[in-house]
Amino acid sequence: MTYLKQVLYNLEKNPKALFCLQKANANLKAWGYTEHGIRHAKITSQRAMYILRKLHYPEEDVYLAGIAGFLHDIGNLVSRYNHEVSSAFLALDMLKEMGVEFNDIIKIMSAIGAHEDDHFLDIPDPIAASLIIADKSDVHRSRVQNNDINTFDIHDRVNYAVEKDQLIVDNSNSKPTIVIDLKINTNFSSIIEYFEIFLHRMKMCKRSAEAINCEFALIINNQRMV
Ligand SMILES: [Fe+2]
Ligand SMILES: [Fe+2]
């Protein structure tokens, strides 16, 4: 059993980590963004681990992805811009203090740093790939922080419209498929609006799936889009 399982367990209760996530989310709420707090951290962590577990990666990689998933957005407490970099360095301090081995911290920093990218760099490793897919798959009504539906922007509308977001690793074929299965209520947002804001993220998911030798499928309202 890897010691990283205990690290993740401790991290989820670590007051500094939780404070960072709360502050990052408070900033994002003030800037009009959707939820990026403890809920998103846990979902990203769990989904990244689910992907690597289903693909039979070593337990160490599974928990490294879980830790990276939990901390990937804490840098938003510094700034939205380049938050993948600030998240990685905040994680460095926190994980050092928790006694995580240097080589493991480096792998976590690398994955966190890769989770946002406007330049289409190659996905560095499976830990980063699983983190990216897990992060981008979390689109859901419960992420909308604006309580006034009349002032919704496109991000609020699209997230509010998503009533189901399921991530599935389908192992039934020789080449596994990573599926994001969404149910979008078109009373709140059109499918086109979804693509308007999520096209880049879906491209990142496709490239991440390829990096771990998987197909990628996006299903919206029972129709395969990608
Ligand atoms: Fe992020
Ligand atoms: Fe995120």
Side-chain angles (χ1 to χ4, degrees):
M1 177 69 69
T2 169
Y3 81 104
L4 294 163
K5 183 178 183 180
Q6 187 65 43
V7 171
L8 178 60
Y9 181 84
N10 295 343
L11 185 65
E12 287 178 347
K13 296 181 174 45
N14 182 319
K16 285 187 183 171
L18 297 176
F19 183 73
C20 285
L21 281 169
Q22 275 157 357
K23 180 60 183 144
N25 191 46
N27 287 5
L28 288 165
K29 188 175 180 181
W31 299 328
Y33 281 83
T34 52
E35 187 269 343
H36 285 69
I38 294 166
R39 178 205 154 279
H40 175 61
K42 282 194 171 164
I43 286 181
T44 307
S45 171
Q46 284 159 6
R47 288 186 177 183
M49 291 196 290
Y50 162 74
I51 293 169
L52 293 189
R53 220 175 249 136
K54 284 285 272 186
L55 297 172
H56 309 293
Y57 276 87
E59 211 181 22
E60 286 75 19
D61 288 356
V62 170
Y63 286 104
L64 288 169
I67 295 165
F70 195 73
L71 294 175
H72 76 283
D73 270 337
I74 53 174
N76 283 295
L77 70 88
V78 180
S79 168
R80 179 66 189 160
Y81 302 106
N82 300 323
H83 74 269
E84 67 280 15
V85 178
S86 43
S87 293
F89 282 96
L90 285 165
L92 165 67
D93 281 344
M94 209 173 291
L95 296 172
K96 221 197 271 178
E97 212 177 283
M98 292 175 74
V100 180
E101 289 172 17
F102 181 77
N103 290 4
D104 290 331
I105 297 180
I106 294 305
K107 290 177 193 169
I108 292 164
M109 290 179 75
S110 157
I112 293 176
H115 92 270
E116 305 282 356
D117 175 28
D118 291 333
H119 305 286
F120 289 103
L121 297 175
D122 285 338
I123 311 299
D125 57 42
I127 301 164
S130 65
L131 168 58
I132 291 166
I133 298 166
D135 177 36
K136 310 308 171 203
S137 72
D138 183 21
V139 194
H140 196 265
R141 173 168 293 186
S142 54
R143 291 192 74 180
V144 178
Q145 310 205 84
N146 179 356
N147 295 324
D148 182 1
I149 203 164
N150 296 313
T151 60
F152 274 9
D153 65 7
I154 183 169
H155 291 266
D156 292 331
R157 268 202 309 281
V158 170
N159 275 277
Y160 194 82
V162 178
E163 294 173 346
K164 183 188 88 175
D165 68 328
Q166 222 182 347
L167 175 72
I168 304 154
V169 178
D170 178 1
N171 268 335
S172 57
N173 296 315
S174 57
K175 191 170 185 182
T177 306
I178 296 176
V179 183
I180 296 179
D181 185 4
L182 303 178
K183 182 165 180 259
I184 297 184
N185 184 334
T186 50
N187 290 325
F188 297 108
S189 162
S190 65
I191 309 287
I192 292 290
E193 272 192 320
Y194 171 84
F195 277 106
E196 211 175 297
I197 60 172
F198 280 101
L199 187 60
H200 178 71
R201 295 179 216 190
M202 287 306 110
K203 281 185 190 167
M204 281 188 84
C205 285
K206 193 170 187 304
R207 292 171 55 251
S208 299
E210 283 164 6
I212 44 178
N213 301 314
C214 292
E215 301 279 348
F216 175 70
L218 172 67
I219 297 172
I220 299 181
N221 296 350
N222 299 320
Q223 263 196 310
R224 185 165 171 171
M225 301 285 173
V226 178

